[in-house]
Amino acid sequence: AGAIKFVIESAGLGVSAFRDMAPPKASMPFCVITEGVAWNTVPMGDTDASDELTIREQVQVDIYQALRAADGTRTENPDLEDLVCWHLAQSKLPTWVNPVYGVSILTRSTQTDQARSNVRRTIVTLQVDRLLDAPAARERIRK
């Protein structure tokens, strides 16, 4: 989530990104990143020799933006979702521990929030192919 947050916030779109949940009074537009939605292993070469696994992880990015200001003027940026998706799809994600081999967009859907009719929510599901350090994973399972 930290790497996705970095990509979104450094793109110059004026969008803040939060992990799992935005603060109650977060200023729109913003994104909420939920990582580890699902993942599975991907066979890639002779990984047994180095005790490594490549995984394909699904990450959800929710993009929230207000449709109109209090005076009725339009505040929605109709290109925002496209721009966020473009930046994410172009990135290998900056990481310091395990390499990321690629990011792709699996699905994207848009809806108006029924509880807050002035809010547009776009749900983007990403596929992230990355290296999972098997010894670190085994250590997490033991705990």
Side-chain angles (χ1 to χ4, degrees), residues 52-122:
E52 297 172 339
L53 290 173
T54 299
I55 66 166
R56 183 161 284 160
E57 179 179 10
Q58 288 184 2
V59 177
Q60 181 173 313
V61 177
D62 295 273
I63 305 165
Y64 293 89
Q65 61 176 319
L67 299 175
R68 301 205 175 270
D71 65 2
T73 58
R74 184 177 179 175
T75 58
E76 171 193 18
N77 176 354
D79 298 327
L80 181 63
E81 293 95 347
D82 288 342
L83 291 167
V84 170
C85 288
W86 186 85
H87 282 284
L88 290 170
Q90 298 301 311
S91 175
K92 280 193 161 187
L93 298 180
T95 61
W96 295 270
V97 181
N98 295 323
V100 172
Y101 303 115
V103 178
S104 56
I105 310 276
L106 293 181
T107 61
R108 174 178 154 178
S109 65
T110 302
Q111 62 190 27
T112 301
D113 189 330
Q114 298 302 317
R116 300 178 296 177
S117 61
N118 190 39
V119 176
R120 176 182 170 107
R121 176 184 179 202
T122 301

